[in-house]
Amino acid sequence: MAGKPKGSRSKDYDDKRQKLLSKAGRLLLKQPTEKLSLRQIAEGIEVTIPTLNHYFGGRDGIITAFLEYTWQSAQRHLTDAAEPKGELADCVRSKLDNLTDAMLNFGLEQLHMFGMTEGLGHTTLGPAYLNYFLEPTLQAGEKWLSYYQLKGEIAPDIDLRFAAIALYSPLLILLMHQHQLGGAKVREAKVDQFVEQHSKNFLKYLRK
């Protein structure tokens, strides 16, 4: 009987790869700021280094695949994040509230920490974090902002890409300041109060 052609994949290749990726993802997010080595990842999910190399092509391949997996899993949320909701003021506030909820209650904060830890200064993983994680969030913001700009509720000279960055970045920094950097003990800030003030200031900026 002829053997399997060299370089071909078995029928269950994708299933095995997905199971390994799920296990690796849970391991990586346990301590999102600790850069686990390829050996530590292999030991943590009880496989060999050659197995990981076979399915992912090395450590960078695992990280990139996990970031892509989070992007694929988040499609429904990204679609919702891109939709305008009611009046402009209400939409701005709801988008900030939704981001706060996702960061604090649904693991988004850990994912950002992981992506930035792996991506900052890295020629491969930096773009992977941007393409599969940060940019989709910003582009969703640009999409719903464009709806209100076409209605004439946002000044025509406002660059929507910059507007999306201006909306989300301060909240991300504040949440990390308060929780992951220990800011709640160093200099506490009320997140709800910040969101209220930031929403008002952002609306003024959009209508200048």
Side-chain angles (χ1 to χ4, degrees), residues 18-127:
Q18 187 58 50
K19 289 178 180 177
L20 289 172
L21 187 58
S22 296
K23 290 181 179 179
R26 290 193 293 272
L27 176 68
L28 293 169
L29 290 184
K30 281 184 178 179
Q31 294 178 301
T33 58
E34 181 179 346
K35 291 187 177 183
L36 299 179
S37 67
L38 184 62
R39 181 175 298 281
Q40 288 173 315
I41 296 172
E43 292 175 350
I45 63 175
E46 300 179 330
V47 297
T48 64
I49 290 178
T51 295
L52 292 182
N53 285 331
H54 172 68
Y55 284 100
F56 301 102
R59 186 183 185 280
D60 288 358
I62 298 174
I63 306 303
T64 300
F66 177 62
L67 292 170
E68 181 179 9
Y69 172 71
T70 63
W71 170 74
Q72 292 172 339
S73 301
Q75 289 305 302
R76 178 174 62 85
H77 301 291
L78 288 169
T79 298
D80 185 65
E83 292 296 320
K85 306 287 184 181
E87 298 297 324
L88 176 57
D90 295 331
C91 188
V92 169
R93 181 59 190 262
S94 70
K95 297 302 183 182
L96 292 173
D97 286 339
N98 290 342
L99 178 59
T100 300
D101 187 42
M103 288 282 285
L104 300 183
N105 300 315
F106 293 96
L108 186 60
E109 197 167 37
Q110 285 73 23
L111 284 166
H112 271 294
M113 290 168 59
F114 173 74
M116 285 189 284
T117 297
E118 294 289 349
L120 287 173
H122 197 291
T123 56
T124 300
L125 300 181

Side-chain angles (χ1 to χ4, degrees), residues 145-146 148-160 205-208:
L145 284 165
S146 69
Y148 295 102
Q149 191 173 55
L150 289 172
K151 288 182 64 179
E153 297 181 37
I154 295 177
D157 61 338
I158 292 291
D159 186 304
L160 298 184
Y205 158 72
L206 292 179
R207 293 165 172 164
K208 67 177 182 178

Side-chain angles (χ1 to χ4, degrees), residues 12 17 25 28 30 45 69-70 80 82 95 100 125 130-131 133 137 144 148 161 164 172 179 198:
D12 60 349
R17 187 178 187 274
L28 293 169
K30 281 184 178 179
I45 63 175
Y69 172 71
T70 63
D80 185 65
K95 297 302 183 182
T100 300
L125 300 181
L130 283 179
N131 290 328
F133 206 83
T137 300
W144 67 260
Y148 295 102
R161 181 185 184 189
L172 290 173
H179 299 99
H198 182 44

